[in-house]
Amino acid sequence: MVTVEPADSTEADAVADLWMALAREQRPYGAHLRPAQSRDAVRESMAQHAVEGGLTVARADDELVGFVRFDVERGPLAQDCTRGVVRDLYVRPAWREEGVGARLLDAAEAALGDRGVDIVALEALAANADAIQFYERRGYRRHRIEFEREVENDKRPRRDR
């Protein structure tokens, strides 16, 4: 049986390990993150999100099988709505298709709703069709499109020619 509940800050290391698995899985889809080099910063962020109530975990017995990290968007620019942002959502491959991701997303949406958000935003890499399909089934619609290309310089030629 899987339980979904707010994380404790003492679980930051274990959740950072899950985040590293997420980052490694995203590399084939074009992610630029370097998991090992980012681990300390991620661990700190996970601990802070846990303290602030923005980190929820899924457990099967005593094993962490997934997590979701979220917060209310803050910034200097005025907006016509309050946005909640799901920063990361990850479920171990063996637990996918079991409803764990849906339960984690439900928990994040409920917590953000309790904080007064009007909209929940999240990102998926364009090449990650499974993630896009999951979010679209949950009612999320594309809002922005981000573009990137390599820059040609004296160290490397551009590959898109």
Side-chain angles (χ1 to χ4, degrees):
M1 182 171 120
V2 175
T3 59
V4 173
E5 60 192 17
D8 184 279
S9 62
T10 62
E11 296 175 295
D13 276 325
V15 177
D17 290 341
L18 287 180
W19 180 89
M20 289 180 59
L22 166 66
R24 283 190 300 269
E25 285 183 29
Q26 295 301 301
R27 297 286 292 178
Y29 299 113
H32 303 299
L33 295 171
R34 292 184 174 159
Q37 294 88 335
S38 301
R39 190 184 189 289
D40 290 342
V42 168
R43 193 201 71 70
E44 287 299 317
S45 179
M46 295 302 177
Q48 186 65 36
H49 276 80
V51 167
E52 295 171 354
L55 182 62
T56 298
V57 294
R59 286 188 188 82
D61 299 316
D62 290 332
E63 177 191 9
L64 284 181
V65 298
F67 76 94
V68 61
R69 181 174 63 111
F70 54 92
D71 53 43
V72 176
E73 185 176 64
R74 305 273 185 236
L77 303 178
Q79 296 191 45
D80 61 2
C81 66
T82 302
R83 285 173 29 120
V85 181
V86 173
R87 303 287 176 189
D88 300 298
L89 173 64
Y90 180 73
V91 175
R92 289 183 189 270
W95 289 91
R96 294 179 187 159
E97 304 301 325
E98 301 291 327
V100 176
R103 290 181 59 200
L104 285 165
L105 190 53
D106 286 344
E109 290 170 347
L112 290 167
D114 289 346
R115 294 176 194 170
V117 306
D118 303 304
I119 292 172
V120 176
L122 49 78
E123 292 182 359
L125 290 166
N128 191 341
D130 290 340
I132 292 167
Q133 185 179 30
F134 170 74
Y135 294 128
E136 287 179 340
R137 280 194 319 260
R138 298 283 311 204
Y140 286 82
R141 299 292 168 247
R142 296 171 193 212
H143 175 68
R144 290 184 179 151
I145 299 174
E146 181 176 288
F147 295 90
E148 66 177 29
R149 77 169 217 190
E150 290 183 346
V151 175
E152 184 174 356
N153 61 36
D154 59 348
K155 294 180 184 176
R156 85 175 160 258
R158 237 178 47 219
R159 289 185 276 173
D160 63 346
R161 292 186 180 186

